[in-house]
Amino acid sequence: MESEQNIAYDGQNSKPMEGVFHSHLEEKVRPYIDLIDSFRLIGIDEDLALPTIAVIGDQSSGKSSVLEALSGVALPRGSGIVTRCPLELKLRKIKCGVQWRAVISYKEEFTEFNDPSLVEGYVEKAQNELAGEGVGICDELITLEIMAPDVCDLTLIDLPGIVRVPVKGQPEDIGHQIKNLTGKYIEKDQTINLVVVPCNVDIATTEALKMTQEVDPEGKRTLAILTKPDLIDKGTEKNIMDIVRNQVIPLSKGYIIVKCRSQKQIDDKISLTEATRVEREFFRRHDFFSCFLYEEKASIQCLATKLTQNLVDHIKKSLPLISEEIKKQLWSLRKDLSQCESSPPLDPQKRKIFFINTLMKFNDKISCLASGDVVNDDNLFVILRSEFKKWKDHLDSTKASFYKTVQEVVAEYDLKHRGRELPGFSEYKVFEMVVQKLVIQLTGPAIDTLKVSKDTIQKQFLDVSKTCFLNYPFLQSVAMNKIENIQSKQEAKVEERIREQFEMEQLVYTQDGIFFKTLNDIHAIDGQKASEDNFAGFDSRTKYPEMLQAYYEIVAQRLADQVPMLIRYFMLKKSAQLLCSEMLGLMDGANVAEALCEKSDISRRRIDMQTRVERLTLAQDKLSNFL
Ligand code: GDP
Ligand code: MG
């Protein structure tokens, strides 16, 4: 093995690989392959599909042998299932004289080596790690990048061979799994499908060809390779000739017939270079197939040329699509980036200013919120007004029962309430107590209004802190704590004021002028009129319900405004002021670095987007020379 590899790669030995590829790369072809190569180098293949070549075929059809012959790299081969994970073979041409180098990567693994004879071992190891030892398969991609002077910049993907019947140890649906995996690669418009079919089987029944026909019926991006021409049964040569001449299953890209190393040649350690020579000789001397050499339908050499040409044509066709795709992605990335705020500067002075600005922005928003601007999705004042309205509705709803209660007291006065007074007189205190008792019952609903309002206001404050400090978990939690603290304290304060208010209501007081005005408003309907001068005739118990109704009206009006005003003043205005000044307090002595510490996924996402924008822009630049 060692000696063969040396022949294949050591520049000092004969002519390595006879330059299967690079001698055919004319000036016109090279730039396109270079362009795609440079796209891969900047990582564009992470953003969009680049033109690639996928090698598919039934098991043991000779896929790996073809790849090997094309790349000059010995891959794991043999009978049974050998390729068990998709293997992306990136071939990179480097300057003559520079040492052969390869990198194998999969998952987190990344190994660099410079001995070609290690390729097989590393690929096997990778497959065992990804698909487990044995005969299972796996979707995970292994990337093998080979940098050698005698390869061309081609990327080929070797896929597990298609099998129909599972062998011992394989899951029942292995055939299905492999077909699924293969399908993922061959269905992409960017992929050239290289279908490998051995000459010694009935081509019409090969699964691989059937699959490509499904995704590419006219064979516009399918190139078929017939292998093992040395193994055909005597007498079937004519059939093979018809196939190669595209007369059996026509494909626009046609067929090529190649002869790779047989198992015996491998065992005999025939080098790849030697094998190329042997192949030529085989075709040259063949009774039937020699004509294909002139028709350019035979040999690895010819396949290499055709593949390169095909790839270049394919690239040319793809460029406008790639350009479109790049534009589309750049547009949406730039949009996303503009929404994702800039990161804090690293310079300490600038960072401090950034910090202050961040706090100021938050304070501005909070002040706006408190003064009635709509800064969130929901309009705070609309919600509050409807809450306050509910409070007033509740007050109004109690009026009727208040009137009724007073009426009852009047009716039952002599029976239940009358004291030492002579009949016809009544004691004010009795009615005062009724008012006191009924008004104090409004305390609960008033406090409920406070609670609901507090929740609404607090939620909106928290929403502001979430949007302003989206990227800064530390600031967000500081602000949240402050908001909750301040809101609780303010709520306690308002609750105290409300209770005080109800204690004051026990005084049962209003200005005479206000009382009479309200009373008259009530009586305007029945034409009676009361005033401070002519009220003498009014002092009769039957009038109490109306009179107290007027008073209750005044209380209801007072409370209808008072409770909302307390809430707006303490919960909103004062809270906002307190919050803003506490946030400003963070400016001195705060650990700016800690405060501006970003959520790791945010900064990662931003960096990721920026990197993508950079490489897409770079790709766009490179592309502009070609369109
Ligand atoms: P894969 O499973 O499709 O990757 O097939 P391999 O490349 O591993 O080849 C299967 C077997 O066929 C190996 O033993 C190869 O040496 C042998 N083989 C491949 N191509 C030819 C060929 O053109 N002629 C002969 N005689 N054997 C070949
Ligand atoms: Mg294989």
Side-chain angles (χ1 to χ4, degrees):
M1 210 55 176
E2 205 40 41
S3 67
E4 170 196 316
Q5 295 297 347
N6 283 344
I7 294 167
Y9 297 102
D10 191 339
Q12 291 166 353
N13 275 314
S14 62
K15 269 197 268 162
M17 287 304 291
E18 307 260 72
V20 163
F21 268 125
H22 64 279
S23 56
H24 304 278
L25 291 172
E26 306 139 42
E27 292 295 299
K28 281 179 281 173
V29 162
R30 181 94 224 166
Y32 287 95
I33 296 196
D34 279 350
L35 175 70
I36 298 301
D37 186 43
S38 70
F39 277 5
R40 282 220 173 73
L41 212 66
I42 56 179
I44 282 293
D45 43 345
E46 282 182 36
D47 306 297
L48 42 91
L50 290 178
T52 32
I53 302 169
V55 185
I56 74 159
D58 294 1
Q59 189 172 299
S60 288
S61 54
K63 297 177 298 299
S64 301
S65 304
V66 169
L67 277 179
E68 199 177 77
L70 287 173
S71 65
V73 182
L75 296 168
R77 306 182 322 155
S79 55
I81 184 158
V82 180
T83 307
R84 299 190 294 124
C85 302
L87 174 74
E88 184 181 35
L89 193 61
K90 294 184 173 179
L91 304 173
R92 292 251 167 83
K93 187 179 167 55
I94 51 172
K95 274 198 225 94
C96 267
V98 180
Q99 207 200 6
W100 187 97
R101 213 154 49 85
V103 176
I104 185 163
S105 50
Y106 51 97
K107 284 203 163 151
E108 319 287 69
E109 206 70 39
F110 184 92
T111 316
E112 198 173 332
F113 56 101
N114 44 32
D115 180 355
S117 70
L118 296 178
V119 167
E120 253 187 289
Y122 274 124
V123 172
E124 258 165 40
K125 181 171 166 266
Q127 293 199 135
N128 286 342
E129 276 172 37
L130 295 176
E133 302 207 7
V135 286
I137 67 147
C138 165
D139 279 18
E140 209 83 39
L141 187 72
I142 301 172
T143 300
L144 177 65
E145 191 174 345
I146 289 173
M147 287 142 278
D150 49 8
V151 293
C152 128
D153 306 278
L154 262 187
T155 294
L156 300 133
I157 296 169
D158 188 16
L159 293 164
I162 297 162
V163 289
R164 262 150 290 188
V165 200
V167 297
K168 193 165 169 286
Q170 280 181 334
E172 271 308 304
D173 67 336
I174 184 91
H176 194 70
Q177 283 185 27
I178 296 176
K179 278 177 79 171
N180 261 349
L181 171 62
T182 307
K184 263 195 248 165
Y185 284 89
I186 64 172
E187 70 188 10
K188 282 188 200 144
D189 279 341
Q190 303 288 356
T191 309
I192 295 180
N193 299 324
L194 210 56
V195 186
V196 180
V197 185
C199 288
N200 57 349
V201 302
D202 178 8
I203 132 161
T205 64
T206 48
E207 200 63 32
L209 205 52
K210 276 195 220 152
M211 285 185 72
T212 46
Q213 278 181 307
E214 273 166 34
V215 291
D216 178 28
E218 290 167 55
K220 277 197 247 168
R221 47 185 187 87
T222 302
L223 182 66
I225 301 170
L226 292 167
T227 57
K228 310 191 187 179
D230 50 327
L231 298 182
I232 56 172
D233 294 334
K234 283 261 172 298
T236 57
E237 291 93 347
K238 281 239 150 52
N239 298 345
I240 300 296
M241 287 181 76
D242 288 345
I243 293 169
V244 176
R245 293 201 164 128
N246 223 355
Q247 284 159 357
V248 181
I249 299 176
L251 300 170
S252 338
K253 288 206 187 297
Y255 293 76
I256 289 194
I257 187 163
V258 301
K259 190 190 108 52
C260 299
R261 290 186 302 173
S262 63
Q263 196 56 51
K264 184 169 180 309
Q265 286 175 313
I266 296 167
D267 296 341
D268 291 349
K269 299 196 191 303
I270 303 280
S271 76
L272 284 163
T273 318
E274 177 64 6
T276 313
R277 203 189 53 74
V278 172
E279 187 201 27
R280 271 201 100 68
E281 210 48 24
F282 168 82
F283 282 118
R284 216 167 53 79
R285 285 164 191 264
H286 202 280
D287 292 344
F288 295 87
F289 300 157
S290 58
C291 56
F292 290 144
L293 272 184
Y294 308 103
E295 293 173 28
E296 300 197 322
K297 288 190 169 71
S299 85
I300 287 287
Q301 186 85 38
C302 175
L303 170 64
T305 315
K306 239 193 165 160
L307 207 49
T308 314
Q309 189 53 52
N310 266 303
L311 184 65
V312 168
D313 289 347
H314 197 62
I315 294 171
K316 283 185 188 165
K317 260 189 255 152
S318 305
L319 291 185
L321 301 175
I322 293 178
S323 165
E324 268 316 296
E325 183 62 30
I326 290 178
K327 267 188 217 146
K328 238 171 46 192
Q329 293 199 15
L330 272 176
W331 186 82
S332 85
L333 274 170
R334 291 204 170 110
K335 206 179 98 208
D336 286 354
L337 263 174
S338 71
Q339 281 165 358
C340 177
E341 268 188 64
S342 56
S343 61
L346 292 172
D347 173 70
Q349 202 53 40
K350 286 189 185 141
R351 209 173 162 87
K352 176 101 192 177
I353 292 170
F354 182 91
F355 177 58
I356 293 172
N357 283 340
T358 309
L359 292 180
M360 289 304 218
K361 264 189 225 158
F362 172 76
N363 280 2
D364 272 357
K365 271 207 164 177
I366 288 289
S367 309
C368 285
L369 180 66
S371 60
D373 291 347
V374 182
V375 299
N376 288 329
D377 291 343
D378 302 312
N379 184 327
L380 176 62
F381 277 72
V382 168
I383 306 174
L384 284 182
R385 193 177 304 115
S386 98
E387 244 0 278
F388 297 159
K389 171 84 165 44
K390 278 187 212 153
W391 164 237
K392 174 153 182 345
D393 289 346
H394 174 76
L395 290 171
D396 290 343
S397 75
T398 58
K399 284 178 187 168
S401 75
F402 177 85
Y403 186 74
K404 219 176 122 223
T405 310
V406 179
Q407 269 185 323
E408 276 165 19
V409 173
V410 171
E412 296 169 348
Y413 187 86
D414 286 320
L415 223 62
K416 288 190 181 168
H417 307 287
R418 192 179 144 204
R420 63 181 171 84
E421 67 269 21
L422 292 172
F425 292 92
S426 41
E427 187 162 21
Y428 175 62
K429 229 180 153 187
V430 171
F431 295 94
E432 192 183 46
M433 269 164 61
V434 173
V435 173
Q436 285 169 336
K437 211 178 97 203
L438 292 180
V439 169
I440 201 89
Q441 281 172 9
L442 297 170
T443 321
I447 286 174
D448 290 345
T449 305
L450 165 65
K451 295 226 174 333
V452 176
S453 307
K454 179 224 169 184
D455 289 346
T456 309
I457 295 166
Q458 178 159 319
K459 181 182 172 297
Q460 296 239 344
F461 275 29
L462 291 176
D463 284 351
V464 171
S465 91
K466 266 182 221 147
T467 44
C468 283
F469 303 136
L470 184 67
N471 301 351
Y472 311 108
F474 176 85
L475 283 178
Q476 209 182 98
S477 85
V478 168
M480 268 168 76
N481 277 333
K482 289 192 184 305
I483 291 168
E484 279 163 7
N485 271 337
I486 292 172
Q487 285 285 311
S488 297
K489 270 190 211 147
Q490 294 298 100
E491 185 189 20
K493 209 176 259 182
V494 177
E495 188 174 332
E496 203 187 312
R497 297 287 148 102
I498 289 176
R499 292 194 189 282
E500 277 170 9
Q501 180 68 36
F502 280 96
E503 273 167 39
M504 286 192 286
E505 293 298 342
Q506 299 295 297
L507 298 177
V508 188
Y509 169 77
T510 188
Q511 300 265 2
D512 291 351
I514 297 175
F515 182 71
F516 284 118
K517 187 179 179 302
T518 314
L519 196 56
N520 282 330
D521 287 349
I522 290 172
H523 284 279
I525 321 142
D526 20 285
Q528 301 187 25
K529 216 171 171 356
S531 76
E532 285 161 76
D533 310 319
N534 74 350
F535 195 67
F538 223 88
D539 186 18
S540 148
R541 211 184 284 158
T542 52
K543 302 280 181 215
Y544 286 1
E546 279 78 22
M547 288 157 71
L548 289 180
Q549 184 192 11
Y551 177 71
Y552 194 74
E553 190 66 45
I554 293 161
V555 172
Q557 266 182 34
R558 199 154 56 199
L559 291 173
D561 285 343
Q562 186 69 3
V563 172
M565 283 175 82
L566 284 170
I567 291 171
R568 268 191 58 186
Y569 181 73
F570 286 102
M571 302 308 296
L572 200 54
K573 191 174 171 178
K574 271 282 166 193
S575 283
Q577 282 172 359
L578 288 168
L579 181 60
C580 288
S581 68
E582 283 197 23
M583 289 309 282
L584 286 183
L586 287 179
M587 280 184 206
D588 23 71
N591 180 345
V592 177
E594 181 191 33
L596 288 183
C597 181
E598 285 189 283
K599 254 189 226 158
S600 61
D601 58 327
I602 295 270
S603 50
R604 208 181 313 125
R605 203 172 94 86
R606 187 191 303 118
I607 290 168
D608 185 55
M609 286 198 291
Q610 279 162 348
T611 330
R612 282 184 61 200
V613 166
E614 272 164 34
R615 69 175 174 231
L616 284 166
T617 316
L618 202 61
Q620 203 177 33
D621 277 358
K622 288 181 188 289
L623 203 56
S624 63
N625 301 327
F626 286 83
L627 293 172

